Amino acid sequence: MARVIVDVMLKSEIHDPQGEAVLSASHRLGFGNVTGVRQGKRFELDIDGPAGDAALARAEELARELLANPVIEEFSLSFVE
Amino acid sequence: MDGLSEARKGIAPRGALEARNTDTVEFAAATPEAEQPFKELGLTEDEYAKIRQILGRRPTAAELALYSVMWSEHCSYKSSKVHLRNLAPRGAQTDKLLAGIGANAGVVDIGQGYAVTFKIESHNHPSFVEPHQGAATGVGGIVRDILAMGARPVAVMDALRFGPADAHDTARVLPGVVSGISFYGNCLGLPNIGGELSFDPCYAGNPLVNALCVGVMRHADLKAAVASGLGNKVVLFGSRTGPDGVGGASVLASSTFAGDAEDGSVGSGGAAAKRPSVQVGDPFMEKLLIECCLELFAGDLVEGIQDLGAAGVACATTELAAGGGAQVGMRVDLDLVPLRDPSLTPAEILMSESQERMMAIVTPGKAGEFAAVCAKWDVEATVIGEVTGDGVLTMTWRGGTVVSIPPETAADGPVYSRPLARPAAQDELAADGPAMPRPGDGAPLRQALLALLGSADLADKAWVTQQYDAIVRGNTVLAMPEDGGLLRVDEDTHLGIALATDGNGRYCRLDPYLGTQLALAEAYRNVAMTGARPMAVTNCLNFGSPEDPGVMWQLAEAVRGLADGCATLGIPVTGGNVSLYNQTGQMAIHPTPVIGVLGVHDDVRRRVSAGFGANEATIIVLGETRDELGGSAWAHVAHGHLGGIPPAVDLAAEQRLAGLIAVAAAAGLLASAHDLSDGGLAIALAESCLRGGNGCSIDLDDVSPQAFTALFSESAGRAVVTVRPEQAAEFAALAHSHGVPAAAIGTVTGDSLQVNGQFDIPLDELAAVWQGTLPALFG
């Protein structure tokens, strides 16, 4: 049993209206030191079998096909013990 | 300028860029031999030479970018303009027109001091690349067009066409497009009151996403997209400018189109890096922009206004300046443009298609008030320049002049009379009529009806339309699946407007002239079915490559058909949009002009619905049924066949039918009215039964001697209406006096669609077939 974390973020050049909304709300709440916000998603996948390259490759396939939109998003994968 | 933000602070890490030469006008004049990436920007050798001739030197990188987007097919209509001239309204067509073609959108007088503006536009390519954002920003763009005329946007519609319903890629594109439309429109609070959905292999790889918006204003509120008044301020307001969809209007899409000074080409005035062509929309910002603009209009705080769509700042500045007349120029400081990404070059700033932006011309005396309104709505507004009297559009960046052009040379663009030729295969296609065996009677007819009803083109669209808010704002009277959408405009007088869009690529493939007139006739008829009087036309012309003479012939024929049709009907084309290059390799889409018709309803309480609501009402078919199955839904669904000639068009008959429905609706004679189109009477009966929750008992003899023809022929100019028995005589007399053939064919009764002597289909079975298709395909 392994757990793969998939972090999905909009590519840096893609407009992120949600992040901007969080930024302006931060300022309204008095967190004036926050100068930028980008919002993303995190997935935790529980996977049968050992935490190895094969599991990671499958998770990457899934991320590309379902979890992220590769046209406008990028993602990274990692294991947790 | 009190309150308007001053030059943006901390613009960029300048050091990084100052090492390279900015491509200023002086530098360009001094380096005539510098290579420029005009081809990557989509310009031809001739066009590039023409620009050099206009300027008397080579263009700067920023100027080249500006011309490339302004002269792109998308912005300049360079291939279609010679044909579109035929659409200019003439004579009586202009009676109700307050602003016509050339403005952002046409404006029509609907009486009682109200004016309505509406327009349909394509967002085909972006919706294929990134369906959700592409479709969403398509809605956002057309809404800003309507807003720029001074109107409050009140509703949207969408005409959608995809590849085969069961194709793998359709499962990616369609749900994304629908979610994008619903996301943007629902967040914005605009009802989606109708549209179209159809499928054909020709749209695989080239889906058509055409978005329509309609807005309402008082006559006095009409705004113009012109710059005027020496010293007036040029204000950019709304979202910041980022690297979104740079060059999306031209064809560069994926190329890095300028190197740096080291490789001998032009330096940092060019676009530095490969930029994303995907634009991301923010409907909440758009909502603020709408309310902000309407308050600015109400306070008479703008002299001229333009939305930023394709080609962004380049387009808005050149069109505003060119619109002001020969003496009007504009000076813009690009350092003042608020940026989301400080590394943008001047070329990128000009070409960026960042969403939710507008540009206004404001007198200095009103600038403070303008800023206060923007601040109230949380809309960033920045003075980026002013109107000058030298007839030159000048832009500066970091101390240098990077643009200095006569604005009309960019705004007008080239005009091409491209070669056109009727494709040789056209005759063959016309000769190949649908000669397939036809179901004769009973069970085979029943089966044919169910097969059509369950086909993706004709099946229930609820899977799509349920994702749209059709009733927000509280003025929706009719929406999908009715023939046309109907909105209340005035709560006291009950004045309303009706809208429908139609297009049929199969008919147009067989005969683009007739096919376009059939689309016009169907939209006209659909509007009439609500009880409204059709008044004006908008169009979105979706075609393949203009470099193919066969495609140009289709375009010319379609435009000629539309112009002739509108002249006959006496209603103007108020505006529209052309989308070319909808093709993959040599495979062009079917020529697909989508026609939108707007009508006025004098009293929306007298609207007519398509459903069989009144039990025991008499069912009447209006119009003539001939044996016309070329390009029909039956040939397509049952045999995958496309050939022959489309149904005949009789626009005078359409006018008589529309006149009859309007009068009968106003007199309260109609229990229902539904137009006959794809799938003929069979599909219309099934839809009216399901919509009203009532069955019917039908005799086909008075429609046509052949049961098959009666059920599936697609003759135009027809409708099926129901009339309460006690009013049947009065209606028959009215139909007679309008010269509309009327045949009583049965009664609303029971809970099945019963065609006497042929078959009987319980409503439950009809519903299961009709409703099951899209959910089975798309979840």
Side-chain angles (χ1 to χ4, degrees):
Chain A
M1 188 77 166
R3 174 167 289 185
V4 178
I5 306 296
V6 184
D7 283 308
V8 181
M9 292 296 292
L10 282 171
K11 290 177 182 170
S12 61
E13 65 275 17
I14 296 286
H15 188 195
D16 179 11
Q18 287 188 74
E20 286 179 5
V22 175
L23 176 64
S24 59
S26 306
H27 291 170
R28 277 199 300 279
L29 292 171
F31 296 88
N33 60 332
V34 181
T35 59
V37 177
R38 302 283 290 174
Q39 182 176 317
K41 294 179 277 198
R42 171 188 165 102
F43 298 88
E44 300 181 353
L45 309 178
D46 290 334
I47 289 181
D48 232 1
D53 288 350
L56 212 55
R58 283 294 282 165
E60 183 174 346
E61 236 175 281
L62 178 65
R64 198 173 301 284
E65 202 164 304
L66 178 69
L67 308 180
N69 174 357
V71 179
I72 56 173
E73 291 171 333
E74 55 200 6
F75 59 88
S76 61
L77 302 119
S78 56
F79 280 113
V80 279
E81 300 313 321
Chain B
M1 300 285 303
D2 328 8
L4 288 167
S5 59
E6 296 289 325
R8 225 165 28 79
K9 302 291 189 286
I11 223 175
R14 292 192 177 197
L17 290 163
E18 273 171 1
R20 301 193 289 179
N21 287 326
T22 296
D23 192 20
T24 61
V25 168
E26 293 74 22
F27 185 67
T31 55
E33 301 312 321
E35 264 180 55
Q36 295 194 280
F38 63 90
K39 277 185 187 150
E40 292 84 337
L41 288 164
L43 289 166
T44 64
E45 301 246 5
D46 287 350
E47 287 167 346
Y48 178 63
K50 175 87 178 153
I51 294 167
R52 291 188 73 126
Q53 186 203 328
I54 288 170
L55 299 176
R57 58 176 164 78
R58 76 162 175 87
T60 66
E63 287 167 340
L64 185 66
L66 186 151
Y67 277 102
S68 77
V69 286
M70 290 307 293
W71 286 12
S72 68
E73 191 64 60
H74 186 85
C75 293
S76 74
Y77 295 85
K78 59 190 172 192
S79 301
S80 54
K81 205 152 36 180
V82 291
H83 302 289
L84 296 178
R85 285 177 185 146
N86 298 326
L87 294 178
R90 295 178 187 88
Q93 286 177 297
T94 61
D95 289 355
K96 300 286 186 188
L97 213 51
L98 303 176
I101 293 179
N104 280 311
V107 180
V108 185
D109 177 11
I110 61 162
Q112 301 179 14
Y114 287 105
V116 167
T117 178
F118 76 128
K119 190 178 179 187
I120 186 165
E121 241 179 30
S122 61
H123 226 220
N124 303 340
H125 185 68
S127 301
F128 178 66
V129 174
E130 181 12 55
H132 178 92
Q133 295 297 345
T137 52
V139 175
I142 192 67
V143 166
R144 285 192 300 282
D145 258 21
I146 295 308
L147 180 61
M149 295 307 294
R152 173 181 280 283
V154 294
V156 294
M157 295 177 106
D158 290 277
L160 309 177
R161 286 169 174 77
F162 300 98
D166 55 0
H168 183 67
D169 200 48
T170 303
R172 170 186 74 94
V173 178
L174 183 145
V177 164
V178 172
S179 77
I181 291 167
S182 73
F183 161 70
Y184 205 97
N186 294 358
C187 288
L188 203 48
L190 284 179
N192 192 313
I193 58 170
E196 298 168 86
L197 174 63
S198 71
F199 303 88
D200 193 285
C202 74
Y203 305 116
N206 296 282
L208 302 186
V209 176
N210 297 172
L212 179 148
C213 181
V214 59
V216 176
M217 69 184 110
R218 303 299 294 179
H219 284 183
D221 297 336
L222 181 57
K223 299 294 171 213
V226 296
S228 60
L230 200 60
N232 278 351
K233 302 299 176 189
V234 178
V235 184
L236 182 61
F237 61 117
S239 288
R240 289 187 158 223
T241 299
D244 310 291
V246 169
S250 50
V251 249
L252 75 122
S254 63
S255 66
T256 305
F257 53 85
D260 52 36
E262 287 161 14
D263 62 25
S265 68
V266 172
S268 62
K274 187 170 168 180
R275 299 295 193 180
S277 58
V278 175
Q279 315 144 32
V280 173
D282 179 358
F284 300 108
M285 172 53 79
E286 181 111 329
K287 175 65 176 167
L288 294 174
L289 208 49
I290 291 173
E291 300 305 329
C292 176
C293 282
L294 292 172
E295 190 168 333
L296 292 171
F297 298 154
D300 194 23
L301 300 177
V302 299
E303 305 304 306
I305 188 158
Q306 169 96 42
D307 60 301
L308 273 72
V313 172
C315 184
T317 51
T318 52
E319 287 191 351
L320 282 166
Q327 300 307 310
V328 172
M330 195 184 277
R331 167 169 284 277
V332 171
D333 183 352
L334 292 176
D335 291 318
L336 301 181
V337 173
L339 300 181
R340 215 174 64 230
D341 172 353
S343 72
L344 291 193
T345 65
E348 289 173 323
I349 294 169
L350 288 174
M351 288 194 289
S352 164
E353 296 186 0
S354 290
Q355 300 291 299
E356 292 91 24
R357 297 179 299 162
M358 302 284 280
M359 188 173 283
I361 306 297
V362 184
T363 63
K366 289 176 178 171
E369 244 184 294
F370 185 102
V373 170
C374 290
K376 170 183 164 184
W377 292 103
D378 241 344
V379 169
E380 187 172 13
T382 311
V383 173
I384 63 164
E386 63 180 39
V387 177
T388 62
D390 60 5
V392 178
L393 174 62
T394 309
M395 299 191 191
T396 55
W397 187 69
R398 301 188 184 172
T401 300
V402 293
V403 172
S404 177
I405 63 165
E408 69 281 359
T409 62
D412 292 345
V415 178
Y416 294 146
S417 288
R418 292 194 187 272
L420 50 90
R422 187 168 187 270
Q426 203 70 30
D427 288 331
E428 224 170 283
L429 195 62
D432 177 28
M436 299 80 72
R438 299 172 167 192
D441 55 7
L445 284 175
R446 183 185 201 275
Q447 203 183 342
L449 189 156
L450 289 172
L452 273 187
L453 191 65
S455 71
D457 275 9
L458 298 175
D460 183 17
K461 307 294 186 288
W463 186 91
V464 170
T465 55
Q466 278 176 355
Q467 298 187 46
Y468 304 152
D469 189 336
I471 57 171
V472 61
R473 293 183 56 79
N475 283 320
T476 304
V477 182
L478 296 173
M480 279 288 265
E482 297 290 347
D483 290 346
L486 180 63
L487 294 169
R488 177 172 50 204
V489 169
D490 190 297
E491 291 185 15
D492 296 320
T493 66
H494 308 289
L495 182 71
I497 50 173
L499 281 156
T501 73
D502 282 290
N504 187 319
R506 291 197 305 269
Y507 289 165
C508 291
R509 177 75 180 79
L510 298 181
D511 186 332
Y513 180 90
L514 284 180
T516 305
Q517 292 199 337
L518 283 164
L520 171 66
E522 188 180 346
Y524 183 93
R525 204 181 319 130
N526 278 327
V527 161
M529 287 304 128
T530 66
R533 287 172 286 115
M535 281 198 75
V537 175
T538 186
N539 65 98
C540 190
L541 304 175
N542 306 281
F543 288 83
S545 167
E547 291 156 40
D548 176 340
V551 170
M552 277 313 292
W553 172 79
Q554 292 173 334
L555 176 67
E557 284 293 288
V559 172
R560 195 169 66 84
L562 181 59
D564 289 354
C566 287
T568 305
L569 292 171
I571 55 177
V573 175
T574 63
N577 162 258
V578 180
S579 171
L580 302 179
Y581 296 102
N582 293 292
Q583 75 176 59
T584 307
Q586 294 302 305
M587 247 302 271
I589 59 165
H590 289 334
T592 313
V594 172
I595 310 297
V597 170
L598 172 98
V600 179
H601 206 298
D602 293 330
D603 185 347
V604 297
R605 293 170 302 177
R606 294 280 189 180
R607 84 279 188 176
V608 182
S609 151
F612 286 160
N615 225 340
E616 299 309 319
T618 304
I619 301 173
I620 299 166
V621 169
L622 301 173
E624 267 184 76
T625 303
R626 295 169 292 267
D627 190 289
E628 295 179 304
L629 287 134
S632 65
W634 172 75
H636 178 67
V637 171
H639 298 279
H641 177 269
L642 176 60
I645 48 174
V649 180
D650 181 348
L651 294 172
E654 299 284 356
Q655 271 180 311
R656 292 194 294 272
L657 175 65
L660 168 64
I661 299 289
V663 171
L669 293 177
L670 294 174
S672 75
H674 189 13
D675 98 301
L676 266 56
S677 55
D678 296 22
L681 178 63
I683 295 303
L685 288 173
E687 287 173 346
S688 288
C689 282
L690 291 168
R691 182 85 180 121
N694 282 309
C696 62
S697 170
I698 300 291
D699 282 298
L700 295 172
D701 298 345
D702 289 340
V703 181
S704 167
Q706 274 82 43
F708 171 82
T709 307
L711 286 169
F712 298 110
S713 168
E714 297 186 1
S715 295
R718 297 185 303 158
V720 58
V721 300
T722 56
V723 178
R724 287 181 182 77
E726 64 274 18
Q727 295 175 314
E730 190 183 343
F731 179 80
L734 197 63
H736 184 72
S737 72
H738 277 79
V740 176
I745 61 164
T747 311
V748 176
T749 184
D751 51 11
S752 69
L753 167 54
Q754 185 188 337
V755 177
N756 296 324
Q758 300 294 353
F759 58 79
D760 191 321
I761 311 175
L763 291 193
D764 290 347
E765 189 179 350
L766 278 180
V769 167
W770 188 57
Q771 293 163 357
T773 304
L774 292 192
L777 285 164
F778 303 109

